[in-house]
């Protein structure tokens, strides 16, 4: 079972900042939080990864509170091309198996003009 | 950055035939690759973990005799859908972890392969 919960869909407008929150109440000490973007008929693309506090790269920021039970992907000044499905992935592959590679349902972000 | 490439991107076949999908890591070695399938408007479902030089590990509910996985080299994993039926029609995606990403979940994904079984 996926270890994450996200809103199914979100709408916003061009130029706005969009924040997508993912809940992962059962995150383990060794788990990282990774966000992916997927366009129709394409494989997912890595956006950002973090462990705690805040991470920023050229496309997004990731905010992780101290208890790490949730994380928020922040997309600054979105454009129409940011319309996609966004997945948060918690964990990875461990000796016990690939539970950490199970994707949740993702958030379908729709950007309007 | 590192790239994972799949081939073919689209394939249409008749029911009962077998189809092979290749997944290559183009500029890095991948001892482990992961195969996912995705139905329309659904999330990715992990099918199996492909291990170079050893047997694949299949997720619960995935038929290993139906979905044959071979990882014969450090840059190539193949998924063969045997005796395909219309219900096998799906989008198949492979991925490989970045260096150090094996345990953190940072993955490179292929472009995906759309299988349509008539």
């Amino acid at each position: 079972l996926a270890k994450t919960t996200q809103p199914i869909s979100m709408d916003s407008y061009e130029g706005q900042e969009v924040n997508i929150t993912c809940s992962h109440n059962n995150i383990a000490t060794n788990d990282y939080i990774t966000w992916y973007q997927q366009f129709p008929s394409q494989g997912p693309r890595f956006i950002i990864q973090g462990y705690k506090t805040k991470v920023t790269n050229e496309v997004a920021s990731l905010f992780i509170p101290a208890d790490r039970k949730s994380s928020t992907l922040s997309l600054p000044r979105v454009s129409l091309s940011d319309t996609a499905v966004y997945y948060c992935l918690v964990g990875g592959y461990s000796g016990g198996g690939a539970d950490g590679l199970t994707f949740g349902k993702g958030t379908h972000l729709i950007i309007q003009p | 950055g590192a790239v994972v490439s799949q081939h073919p991107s689209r394939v249409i076949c008749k029911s009962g035939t077998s189809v092979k999908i290749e997944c290559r890591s183009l500029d890095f070695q991948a001892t482990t690759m992961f195969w996912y399938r995705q139905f329309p408007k659904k999330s990715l479902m992990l099918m199996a973990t492909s291990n170079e030089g050893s047997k694949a590990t299949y997720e619960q509910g995935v038929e290993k005799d139906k979905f044959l996985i071979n990882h014969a080299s450090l840059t190539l994993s193949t998924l063969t859908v045997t005796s395909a039926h219309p219900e096998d029609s799906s989008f198949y995606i492979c991925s490989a972890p970045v260096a150090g990403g094996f345990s953190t979940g940072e993955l490179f994904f292929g472009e995906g392969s759309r299988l349509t079984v008539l």
Side-chain angles (χ1 to χ4, degrees):
Chain A
L1 294 177
K3 303 193 294 185
T4 61
T5 303
Q6 302 173 233
I8 295 298
S9 65
M10 293 180 67
D11 294 308
S12 189
Y13 295 90
E14 284 191 291
Q16 299 296 304
E17 176 184 84
V18 171
N19 297 310
I20 306 173
T21 297
C22 179
S23 297
H24 28 81
N25 292 318
N26 297 319
I27 190 169
T29 303
N30 295 331
D31 286 344
Y32 281 73
I33 301 158
T34 311
W35 284 80
Y36 292 89
Q37 175 192 57
Q38 186 183 28
F39 298 113
S41 297
Q42 295 185 26
R45 182 176 73 100
F46 171 87
I47 301 174
I48 197 167
Q49 183 181 75
Y51 183 79
K52 63 179 179 181
T53 63
K54 176 184 175 182
V55 180
T56 298
N57 62 21
E58 62 275 11
V59 297
S61 294
L62 179 60
F63 299 91
I64 305 169
D67 65 5
R68 305 203 323 124
K69 293 182 182 297
S70 67
S71 59
T72 298
L73 174 71
S74 181
L75 303 173
R77 297 179 301 280
V78 293
S79 64
L80 295 176
S81 62
D82 292 316
T83 294
V85 179
Y86 293 82
Y87 296 97
C88 73
L89 188 68
V90 172
Y93 185 85
S94 68
D99 279 352
L101 299 176
T102 301
F103 281 76
K105 295 183 178 180
T107 298
H108 188 191
L109 175 64
I110 300 172
I111 305 301
Q112 302 182 38
Chain B
V3 176
V4 172
S5 180
Q6 283 183 242
H7 178 81
S9 57
R10 292 177 180 271
V11 57
I12 301 173
C13 70
K14 294 182 178 180
S15 185
T17 61
S18 295
V19 174
K20 181 185 286 187
I21 300 170
E22 294 185 345
C23 178
R24 294 182 184 275
S25 56
L26 296 185
D27 55 0
F28 68 105
Q29 294 181 336
T31 56
T32 301
M33 291 184 177
F34 305 101
W35 285 95
Y36 291 84
R37 71 186 296 184
Q38 186 175 35
F39 292 108
K41 299 189 184 301
K42 298 295 185 181
S43 183
L44 290 82
M45 185 192 83
L46 181 64
M47 299 175 66
T49 302
S50 174
N51 303 300
E52 188 268 335
S54 64
K55 292 182 179 180
T57 304
Y58 290 83
E59 295 300 304
Q60 189 173 7
V62 178
E63 300 176 59
K64 61 180 181 180
D65 295 330
K66 174 75 169 176
F67 299 100
L68 299 179
I69 291 173
N70 184 274
H71 196 148
S73 78
L74 291 172
T75 59
L76 175 64
S77 174
T78 60
L79 168 69
T80 301
V81 183
T82 62
S83 186
H85 290 282
E87 58 265 30
D88 299 322
S89 298
S90 189
F91 191 53
Y92 293 88
I93 314 170
C94 70
S95 69
V98 309
F102 186 74
S103 59
T104 65
E106 185 174 351
L107 306 170
F108 291 116
F109 283 85
E111 311 94 325
S113 299
R114 173 85 51 199
L115 171 63
T116 303
V117 185
L118 303 177

